[in-house]
Amino acid sequence: MSERRVCRVLGQHRSTQRKMPCGADDEQALTEDIIALAKQYGRYGYRRVTALLHAAGWSVNHKRVERIWRREGLKVPQKQPKRGRLWLNDGSCIRLRPEYPGHVWAYDFVEERTHDGRKFRILTIIDEASRECLALVVARRLRHEDVLTALAELFIERGPPAHIRSDNGSEFIATAVREWLAKIGVKTLYIAPGSPWENGYNERFNGSLRDELLNSEIFYSLAEAKVLIEAWRRHYNTVRPHSSLGYRPPAPEAATPPLPASGSASLHLRPAMAAETTMH
């Protein structure tokens, strides 16, 4: 007989035949880890937090993390509205897309201030294919000579790329820079004036740098800025999950065996992450 008929005959409510939901044994520990990671990385959404949990030894899918995320009222602040894209008359947008690491590098400048109000600049250099941040050069003033020095060190360490992309800033279009790159065989890709989206990989990186570090730190000196920015670069390359790479970091360190789940996210962090937690 059906459950409905039996309950009607016995005068028993059908809800008594339902299995009461009970949470998993590790629900509390997982919730604590998610909240701890959300506090530490306030600009990360639940998908990046899921990737960090996997690295910490948790076996959990993003749906369960999302459920806990919403239940605890966690959220990332609203993003800025999207900007339009300028197109050519034939409906195309010219941009060389990277095909392999070392194919296209990109560099740009970011400006910030120390606590005393003095400006300093950051030269950001990335590999568009691997998304790895190759260098973050911090100084009060950066000229084309400093750009050449930074590139020379990277070329010695990694070899020159096939192309390098930038805007039309005076530090990038200087005759000395163009002639030096031409002698080495590196082709320059200059974006159209007033079209930062043509250098989209670097603009996206600069936005992450500002959103996750510069907007949340007070730099009391230039030396402190150099230390914190370089620490963030190492974290970005080796730990931070990147959505376009399947939520893997651009240049992960040697893999470590999974750790057992516990009730504290700080116990799961690799040494570099734990040091950053203490520093911040």
Side-chain angles (χ1 to χ4, degrees), residues 26-38 53 58 68 71-72 262-266:
D26 60 353
E27 185 80 2
Q28 183 62 30
L30 177 60
T31 301
E32 292 177 359
D33 279 14
I34 291 174
I35 294 175
L37 289 172
L53 290 171
W58 281 100
I68 298 175
R71 185 189 68 198
E72 298 298 325
S262 72
S264 175
S266 61

Side-chain angles (χ1 to χ4, degrees), residues 161-173:
H163 302 80
I164 189 163
R165 194 191 316 272
S166 72
D167 58 25
N168 294 273
S170 59
E171 302 86 355
F172 303 136
I173 64 174

Side-chain angles (χ1 to χ4, degrees), residues 240-256:
R240 181 186 184 275
H242 203 295
S243 57
S244 65
L245 302 176
Y247 289 95
R248 297 189 304 272
E253 296 175 341
T256 56

Side-chain angles (χ1 to χ4, degrees), residues 231-252:
W232 183 86
R233 186 186 75 87
R234 293 196 302 268
H235 170 78
Y236 179 90
N237 286 338
T238 60
V239 178
R240 181 186 184 275
H242 203 295
S243 57
S244 65
L245 302 176
Y247 289 95
R248 297 189 304 272

Side-chain angles (χ1 to χ4, degrees), residues 8-29:
R8 184 184 299 117
V9 171
L10 298 178
Q12 186 173 342
H13 200 278
R14 291 177 61 201
S15 63
T16 60
Q17 307 303 312
R18 299 290 186 267
K19 181 180 179 180
M20 295 299 295
C22 56
D25 296 337
D26 60 353
E27 185 80 2
Q28 183 62 30

Side-chain angles (χ1 to χ4, degrees), residues 28-279:
Q28 183 62 30
L30 177 60
T31 301
E32 292 177 359
D33 279 14
I34 291 174
I35 294 175
L37 289 172
K39 288 181 179 179
Q40 183 177 354
Y41 305 108
R43 297 299 302 174
Y44 287 6
Y46 72 89
R47 292 184 182 274
R48 281 204 174 95
V49 168
T50 302
L52 291 175
L53 290 171
H54 290 166
W58 281 100
S59 179
V60 59
N61 63 28
H62 68 90
K63 294 181 181 179
R64 185 181 178 193
V65 175
E66 181 184 13
R67 175 177 57 80
I68 298 175
W69 186 274
R70 295 183 182 281
R71 185 189 68 198
E72 298 298 325
L74 302 173
K75 61 184 298 185
V76 178
Q78 186 74 21
K79 293 183 178 180
Q80 296 295 325
K82 296 182 179 180
R83 293 178 295 180
R85 178 184 294 268
L86 294 181
W87 298 87
L88 300 180
N89 293 332
D90 59 357
S92 63
C93 180
I94 300 176
R95 185 177 72 178
L96 177 66
R97 295 189 177 276
E99 299 178 359
Y100 53 86
H103 183 206
V104 182
W105 288 6
Y107 54 178
D108 198 4
F109 285 110
V110 176
E111 190 174 280
E112 188 53 58
R113 294 177 182 269
T114 48
H115 186 59
D116 57 7
R118 298 177 60 193
K119 294 182 181 179
F120 67 87
R121 304 183 80 190
I122 308 169
L123 173 62
T124 64
I125 308 176
I126 66 168
D127 187 311
E128 291 190 354
S130 66
R131 306 299 201 274
E132 182 181 0
C133 176
L134 305 177
L136 290 176
V137 182
V138 182
R140 291 292 182 187
R141 300 182 66 182
L142 288 170
R143 302 175 180 175
H144 75 271
E145 295 90 345
D146 303 302
V147 174
L148 288 176
T149 301
L151 291 179
E153 293 177 355
L154 288 174
F155 289 0
I156 294 173
E157 179 183 355
R158 298 171 176 264
H163 302 80
I164 189 163
R165 194 191 316 272
S166 72
D167 58 25
N168 294 273
S170 59
E171 302 86 355
F172 303 136
I173 64 174
T175 302
V177 175
R178 304 177 75 164
E179 291 180 351
W180 182 74
L181 291 174
K183 290 179 181 178
I184 298 177
V186 178
K187 298 179 181 179
T188 54
L189 301 173
Y190 294 111
I191 67 175
S195 305
W197 49 83
E198 293 185 13
N199 196 8
Y201 292 100
N202 206 314
E203 291 292 337
R204 171 72 178 272
F205 172 82
N206 292 346
S208 298
L209 171 63
R210 183 167 296 282
D211 187 44
E212 298 173 11
L213 178 68
L214 301 183
N215 289 346
S216 60
E217 289 287 346
I218 298 177
F219 304 109
Y220 290 98
S221 66
L222 186 64
E224 182 184 24
K226 291 181 177 180
V227 171
L228 293 178
I229 290 171
E230 178 60 22
W232 183 86
R233 186 186 75 87
R234 293 196 302 268
H235 170 78
Y236 179 90
N237 286 338
T238 60
V239 178
R240 181 186 184 275
H242 203 295
S243 57
S244 65
L245 302 176
Y247 289 95
R248 297 189 304 272
E253 296 175 341
T256 56
L259 303 175
S262 72
S264 175
S266 61
L267 298 178
H268 299 157
L269 302 180
R270 290 150 65 172
M273 296 174 67
E276 292 175 12
T277 305
T278 304
M279 180 174 60

